[in-house]
Amino acid sequence: MTDFDKEVNYCCELLKQGKVIIYPTDTIWGIGCDATNQKAVDKVFAVKDRTKGKSLIVLVDSIDMLKDYVENFPLVAPDIIKAAKNPLSIIYSESKGLAKNVSADKTICIRVVDNDFCKALIKKLGRPITSTSANFAGDTAPSIYAEISEQIKNKVDYVVQLYHDVLTKPKPSTIIRLYEDNSFEIIRQ
């Protein structure tokens, strides 16, 4: 078994137990948990010292998984996702099957992730995971592992032991709001 597989398996077990991890995504290093576990989501807010009532981004491994967590799934969503050249987070009108505290209102921001580790972890878990930058609320988001503070690392249950030497700074995701009538607006480009 490779180190990659060992990390995926270990992190999956931690997430099933309601634990919180720091892990690489296709944009930044994130703090995450099982997005269907309300107590685990509360822990993410506590780690970040973040006010409850703010929304978290949710990551899924595929369009098929995405459909399972969006109420009244917009038919144009798969085409928009496939056409995106950069990571794309989409705000949908309403979620289903996720922890209620993941979102501050009925809307939910979800990204189909394009990172090998993240994708493998979500697929193995069989459920979405939360993603929020690996920093305290109000601090600058770390784009590479070396920028994550020791204080934040010490507040989570585990830090993924891969990709620590990657120095390429990823782009933040584009965020759009997609409506049920298939119209959309760009929130962040």
Side-chain angles (χ1 to χ4, degrees):
M1 186 180 291
T2 66
D3 288 345
F4 181 91
D5 293 329
K6 287 177 188 170
E7 283 294 296
V8 168
N9 291 340
Y10 185 64
C11 288
C12 182
E13 288 308 310
L14 291 173
L15 294 177
K16 285 178 181 177
Q17 296 168 24
K19 305 289 187 189
V20 174
I21 64 170
I22 291 178
Y23 65 101
T25 75
D26 51 346
T27 57
I28 54 155
W29 277 80
I31 298 172
C33 69
D34 175 350
T36 66
N37 182 328
Q38 192 156 329
K39 286 183 180 174
V41 172
D42 280 341
K43 287 183 192 175
V44 170
F45 282 103
V47 165
K48 281 188 68 86
D49 291 332
R50 185 174 179 169
T51 309
K52 288 184 183 177
K54 291 197 172 200
S55 299
L56 300 175
I57 290 178
V58 172
L59 303 180
V60 295
D61 71 339
S62 64
I63 291 171
D64 284 341
M65 181 181 277
L66 173 65
K67 290 176 182 176
D68 292 339
Y69 293 94
V70 174
E71 197 71 56
N72 302 314
F73 187 74
L75 298 177
V76 73
D79 293 332
I80 292 173
I81 293 165
K82 289 174 189 167
K85 294 187 178 16
N86 294 321
L88 177 65
S89 300
I90 300 177
I91 301 170
Y92 297 93
S93 297
E94 189 174 352
S95 68
K96 60 182 179 181
L98 296 171
K100 290 187 181 358
N101 54 345
V102 166
S103 180
D105 54 26
K106 289 176 89 173
T107 66
I108 189 67
C109 188
I110 304 178
R111 184 168 73 251
V112 178
V113 77
D114 187 24
N115 168 281
D116 291 342
F117 179 81
C118 228
K119 230 178 200 176
L121 177 59
I122 295 166
K123 186 175 184 78
K124 178 122 183 120
L125 181 64
R127 296 187 291 274
I129 59 177
T130 64
S131 183
T132 181
S133 56
N135 59 281
F136 291 109
D139 290 354
T140 304
S143 52
I144 59 173
Y145 179 79
E147 295 174 349
I148 303 171
S149 76
E150 288 302 315
Q151 293 90 338
I152 203 88
K153 287 185 224 172
N154 291 331
K155 288 188 78 176
V156 299
D157 297 299
Y158 186 70
V159 177
V160 170
Q161 297 300 303
L162 300 170
Y163 311 112
H164 291 194
D165 57 350
V166 174
L167 299 176
T168 308
K169 294 196 178 209
K171 288 184 176 183
S173 67
T174 298
I175 300 176
I176 67 169
R177 171 79 194 260
L178 183 57
Y179 298 95
E180 291 170 16
D181 67 359
N182 293 318
S183 66
F184 69 91
E185 65 179 307
I186 297 171
I187 307 295
R188 179 179 76 194
Q189 200 156 12

